[in-house]
Amino acid sequence: EFRHLRRLLAVQGRWCYLRLAAIVQYSFYKNMAITLPQVFFSFYDLFSAQTLYDSWIVSSFNVFFASLPPLIWAIVEKDVDSDVIDNHPQLYRRLQKAPHYDRKTITAWLMAGIWHGTVLYFLAHGTFAINDVFRSNGQSLDFWAFGLLASTLVIVTVNLKIALHTIYWTWLNHVAIWGSLVVYLIFLSLYTLMHDFQSTFYYVFCI
């Protein structure tokens, strides 16, 4: 009755540990990346409680735009094949010291979130600060366009980040990552045309 115990511990246990460790740290990372630009923005709006992002984008971030890639990642990701683990059980012993979930790895993910959030905010800020950005009709883009650029940079970056950390690629990973970006672009295209639904965001994306 214990004949499957070795595989349960060495193979499934290893994969489960790697997936859980990565997904927990990635969740901190992506929320740090989306939140930090709002913190920086508060210094420029004199702490007036004005949000940088549109409310629907914030609400959909962890539901539609950045949720499916880590979910698929946590289901199918693996670093080595099961046959390799069966033939080299010492691979499991290396996990006993939790090398993928310790202070160094947690700090690395948090620092990545801080770095990306900082760079992306000031990249968007610099784009609008250096020169006025104009639409094709000659009108200058407004505050909501700035927030749109910042949110777009963050959403693209956090999805590319998980793509860079993916070792075992399947068609589900491709659908989740690239599909999330396509869904975001489709959402923007439709949402910014709904004048009656959200007048402050009307026609922002349609430059």
Side-chain angles (χ1 to χ4, degrees), residues 27 30-31 34 57-68 70:
S27 297
K30 70 172 182 175
N31 286 289
I34 192 70
I57 292 180
V58 174
S59 301
S60 302
F61 176 75
N62 279 316
V63 179
F64 300 111
F65 308 143
S67 60
L68 192 57

Side-chain angles (χ1 to χ4, degrees), residues 32-34 36-37 40 112-122 154:
M32 180 73 73
I34 192 70
L36 198 57
F40 287 123
I114 294 173
W115 171 249
H116 288 168
T118 302
V119 171
L120 296 177
Y121 173 79
F122 285 103
V154 171

Side-chain angles (χ1 to χ4, degrees), residues 37 40 44 52 115-131 133 145-154 156-157:
F40 287 123
Y44 289 89
L52 171 64
W115 171 249
H116 288 168
T118 302
V119 171
L120 296 177
Y121 173 79
F122 285 103
L123 178 61
H125 184 272
T127 301
F128 281 78
I130 295 175
N131 291 301
V133 182
F146 169 57
L148 172 64
L149 177 59
S151 63
T152 300
L153 290 174
V154 171
V156 171
T157 299

Side-chain angles (χ1 to χ4, degrees), residues 11-180:
V11 179
Q12 300 298 334
R14 176 184 178 85
W15 289 348
C16 184
Y17 163 75
L18 293 174
R19 293 166 182 172
L20 287 176
I23 202 66
V24 169
Q25 296 172 104
Y26 175 78
S27 297
F28 281 107
Y29 156 79
K30 70 172 182 175
N31 286 289
M32 180 73 73
I34 192 70
T35 304
L36 198 57
Q38 178 64 58
V39 175
F40 287 123
F41 180 73
S42 64
F43 289 93
Y44 289 89
D45 69 358
L46 302 179
F47 301 94
S48 64
Q50 172 63 53
T51 178
L52 171 64
Y53 308 115
D54 176 79
S55 59
W56 278 90
I57 292 180
V58 174
S59 301
S60 302
F61 176 75
N62 279 316
V63 179
F64 300 111
F65 308 143
S67 60
L68 192 57
L71 176 62
I72 299 300
W73 197 33
I75 295 175
V76 303
E77 177 69 0
K78 56 184 179 180
D79 58 341
V80 292
D81 193 72
S82 59
D83 294 335
V84 177
I85 302 176
D86 284 334
N87 296 327
H88 301 84
Q90 63 270 23
L91 292 175
Y92 175 75
R93 298 193 189 101
R94 296 177 182 176
L95 299 181
Q96 293 179 348
K97 295 183 179 180
H100 299 279
Y101 191 70
D102 56 13
R103 292 181 180 179
K104 291 182 178 179
T105 58
I106 295 174
T107 302
W109 277 99
L110 291 178
M111 292 303 296
I114 294 173
W115 171 249
H116 288 168
T118 302
V119 171
L120 296 177
Y121 173 79
F122 285 103
L123 178 61
H125 184 272
T127 301
F128 281 78
I130 295 175
N131 291 301
D132 288 334
V133 182
F134 296 94
R135 292 195 179 100
S136 57
N137 59 6
Q139 296 179 347
S140 61
L141 294 178
D142 57 10
F143 158 79
W144 291 109
F146 169 57
L148 172 64
L149 177 59
S151 63
T152 300
L153 290 174
V154 171
I155 290 172
V156 171
T157 299
V158 298
N159 279 284
L160 292 180
K161 176 71 171 178
I162 198 171
L164 291 175
H165 282 267
T166 299
I167 300 174
Y168 184 72
W169 281 89
T170 67
W171 66 270
L172 290 173
N173 297 97
H174 287 285
V175 171
I177 295 173
W178 315 124
S180 295

